[in-house]
Amino acid sequence: MTMPAYMRRYTARIIGFGLLYAAVLVAALTVMKQPWAPEGAGAWLLAALPALPVLGMIWAIFRLIVETDDEYQRFLFVKQVLIATGITLALATVWGFLENFDLVSSLPGYHVTVLWFAMFGVGGCLARWRA
């Protein structure tokens, strides 16, 4: 069975943004370790640059929902996103309260996005289990 066109486009986008993320992150880290590394606004811009391909990956997921021409598959993708979002919000909320009571250490904010992508994988399994 061949992959539908919308899945081919999604796969190409995710791979492209993933490779771009790796390249931009390595470049930004390399530049920031140099003695001539930018300061001030330049440092802020360079530090934020690796987030752009990650935002592209999120955009690619939502484009997948828009471009999916099979209504049942679209339903499953939406369900997957909702499951990932719900689990991520629940875990981030619990973690936040644990932080407030000094029971766990603080984590960098981008870990929420990493968690969401992990839960997107879990959500894919749960969305299709007894769908």
Side-chain angles (χ1 to χ4, degrees):
M1 186 165 110
T2 61
M3 187 184 297
Y6 61 85
M7 283 303 292
R8 285 194 305 273
R9 287 189 301 270
Y10 165 75
T11 302
R13 288 172 181 151
I14 289 294
I15 290 171
F17 282 122
L19 292 172
L20 184 60
Y21 166 73
V24 170
L25 180 62
V26 167
L29 289 171
T30 301
V31 168
M32 290 304 286
K33 290 181 181 181
Q34 301 305 314
W36 45 264
E39 296 177 1
W44 281 73
L45 180 63
L46 191 59
L49 213 51
L52 295 179
V54 175
L55 298 178
M57 294 173 95
I58 295 168
W59 170 82
I61 290 167
F62 288 100
R63 276 311 304 162
L64 172 63
I65 293 170
V66 170
E67 293 177 356
T68 300
D69 52 15
D70 181 293
E71 290 180 20
Y72 182 66
Q73 288 301 316
R74 184 180 305 123
F75 162 74
L76 291 177
F77 291 135
V78 169
K79 190 175 174 183
Q80 180 176 358
V81 166
L82 289 172
I83 289 169
T85 303
I87 293 172
T88 301
L89 287 172
L91 292 173
T93 299
V94 170
W95 192 272
F97 279 105
L98 294 173
E99 280 183 28
N100 281 341
F101 287 91
D102 294 322
L103 297 173
V104 296
S105 61
S106 218
L107 292 174
Y110 68 85
H111 281 148
V112 174
T113 306
V114 174
L115 176 63
W116 187 88
F117 278 112
M119 293 306 101
F120 185 66
V122 170
C125 297
L126 294 177
R128 286 155 181 80
W129 178 53
R130 295 188 182 177

